[in-house]
Amino acid sequence: MSDLPAIDALDTAVHTVPTDAPEADGTLAWDRTTLVLVTARSGHTTGLGYTYTPAATARLVQELLTGTVTGRPALDVPRANEEMLRAVRNAGLPGVAAQAISAVDIALWDLKSRLLGLPLVHLLGAARDAVPVYGSGGFTTYGAERQDRQLRHWTHESGIPRVKIKIGESWGRRTERDLERVDRARATIGDDAELYVDANGAYTGGQARRLAGPLADAGVTWFEEPVSCDHLTTLADLRHRLPMDVTAGEYGYTLPYFAQLITAGAVDCLQADATRCGGITGWLRAAALAHAHGIDISGHCAPSAHAHAAAAVPGLRHLEWFHDHVRIERLLFDGVLDPGGGSITPGADGAPGLGLTLAEERAEPYRVQ
């Protein structure tokens, strides 16, 4: 056992990247996104992981997690994950602590597969070759021309046959504009592409019920967080009333929360985010939970972090090809996959781990810590 490679160190870096235009959804506006990067080291081998979160997450990694995992066997990622969960008990797991654990866990899986010389999907075992994606953006701050250009890029240029826009503008106070934008989106993408909407919990239950008819008329098949994901009873009621799939779960940090969401009958497809729910370890467990209850799972945002794990589960619906995160991942990393034709193929080039390397020269101008 003493001959097994050990985790020698964890390093952190923080990068903040401005958006390419003002962005907002139904409940939040932003003009920059912060990525906390974790590098796990074993001898001369390194693995990287990351999460989209405040810079304070890096300090939590350094103060609570580095000492917890350093010296442990680099191949025993689930053990390290469990130790990290215990280490943040008094700090509080949901939120920043869970995101810190997620970034470290992703880095450890990347490190393990690099130590073994395998793409992560081959280490986990593939359930599929191709991973479907959907184009995601369509922010409420976009005018007609910018929304049209973005949707055309995905559907007409990249061949992605499913796209999503944000609705619920101003906490649900601009429903007429929401519906106008949905109609324009349908006109842009044509009749053959799938159209999804995401309210980010901006509506009341009554609003969501009243909007369901017009949304269905526009061919919307996916209604994400029509109400807050904290309101499981209302979400479950909507799921049984609305004609399209009702989905949620991106703010799930723990497996018990996903279990509550599923057993409440609140979702047709579970969304889970590996950069929030405990990394690759937590995401695979969420996928197994969904599969046991006969529903699909969809990977929320951060597509480069999810790609290999997504290819390893049978009940995958798709990954979110989120505009902000795709732009940042292409900027900071080499090895980002191409979604042409509507899917990505992790591991196809044989690169070990996630297949990502930090593009240090491109990344340095955005490093803030």
Side-chain angles (χ1 to χ4, degrees), residues 18-354:
T19 59
D20 55 3
E23 295 179 356
D25 54 33
T27 58
L28 190 67
W30 62 95
D31 61 7
R32 66 197 63 198
T33 300
T34 295
L35 179 148
V36 173
L37 177 70
V38 173
T39 302
R41 303 183 182 277
S42 178
H44 297 294
T45 304
T46 61
L48 67 83
Y50 59 93
T51 181
Y52 294 95
T53 183
T57 307
R59 182 175 176 181
L60 195 151
V61 170
Q62 294 159 358
E63 293 187 1
L64 294 182
L65 303 184
T66 298
T68 301
V69 304
T70 299
R72 296 190 177 278
L75 302 184
D76 296 342
V77 183
R79 178 186 295 181
N81 187 284
E82 184 64 23
E83 293 296 331
M84 289 191 290
L85 291 172
R86 294 175 182 176
V88 302
R89 187 199 69 179
N90 289 349
L93 175 60
V96 170
Q99 291 177 287
I101 291 171
S102 298
V104 175
D105 183 89
I106 294 167
L108 293 180
W109 278 108
D110 190 42
L111 175 65
K112 178 177 179 176
S113 49
R114 288 175 186 272
L115 286 167
L116 297 174
L118 294 171
L120 178 56
V121 64
H122 293 165
L123 174 62
L124 298 175
R128 64 186 67 243
D129 295 324
V131 173
V133 302
Y134 68 90
S136 172
F139 303 107
T140 60
T141 44
Y142 281 2
E145 191 277 333
R146 190 174 187 92
Q147 176 179 292
D148 179 80
R149 185 169 71 248
Q150 186 181 70
L151 296 180
R152 285 184 181 277
H153 168 70
W154 287 324
T155 57
H156 294 53
E157 297 172 23
S158 296
I160 299 175
R162 55 196 80 83
V163 296
K164 184 176 80 180
I165 69 168
K166 302 288 191 179
I167 60 172
E169 184 176 353
S170 300
W171 284 91
R173 290 191 289 267
R174 302 198 63 187
T175 54
E176 287 189 12
R177 184 170 187 268
D178 290 338
L179 294 176
E180 289 171 1
R181 292 178 53 250
V182 168
D183 288 340
R184 283 201 303 269
R186 172 53 70 193
T188 298
I189 67 176
D191 294 334
D192 294 331
E194 293 182 67
L195 179 58
Y196 302 166
V197 297
D198 182 1
N200 287 98
Y203 295 133
T204 66
Q207 281 181 307
R209 286 192 297 272
R210 290 188 291 273
L211 290 171
L215 292 175
D217 290 343
V220 170
T221 56
W222 169 285
F223 198 166
E224 184 174 331
E225 282 195 303
V227 297
S228 170
C229 59
D230 291 330
H231 301 155
L232 299 188
T233 300
T234 305
L235 201 58
D237 178 68
L238 290 171
R239 184 204 172 194
H240 291 97
R241 290 173 179 262
L242 303 191
M244 66 284 292
D245 279 354
V246 171
T247 69
E250 67 186 68
Y251 299 112
Y253 297 102
T254 66
L255 203 61
Y257 174 79
F258 293 128
Q260 292 165 13
L261 197 62
I262 293 171
T263 57
V267 292
D268 292 290
C269 179
L270 179 68
Q271 293 177 280
D273 188 329
T275 73
R276 293 174 176 167
C277 71
I280 302 297
T281 301
W283 196 87
L284 291 174
R285 290 171 180 171
L289 182 65
H291 192 59
H293 287 83
I295 65 172
D296 290 341
I297 189 167
S298 177
H300 172 261
C301 292
S304 293
H306 285 92
H308 289 252
V313 299
L316 178 78
R317 180 82 62 97
H318 40 44
L319 292 185
E320 183 170 9
W321 199 254
F322 182 54
H323 171 71
D324 278 2
H325 294 180
V326 169
R327 192 172 65 88
I328 292 170
E329 289 166 8
R330 284 175 171 165
L331 174 66
L332 301 184
F333 305 125
D334 291 322
V336 174
L337 298 170
D338 181 355
S343 64
I344 53 178
T345 53
D349 62 357
L354 296 172

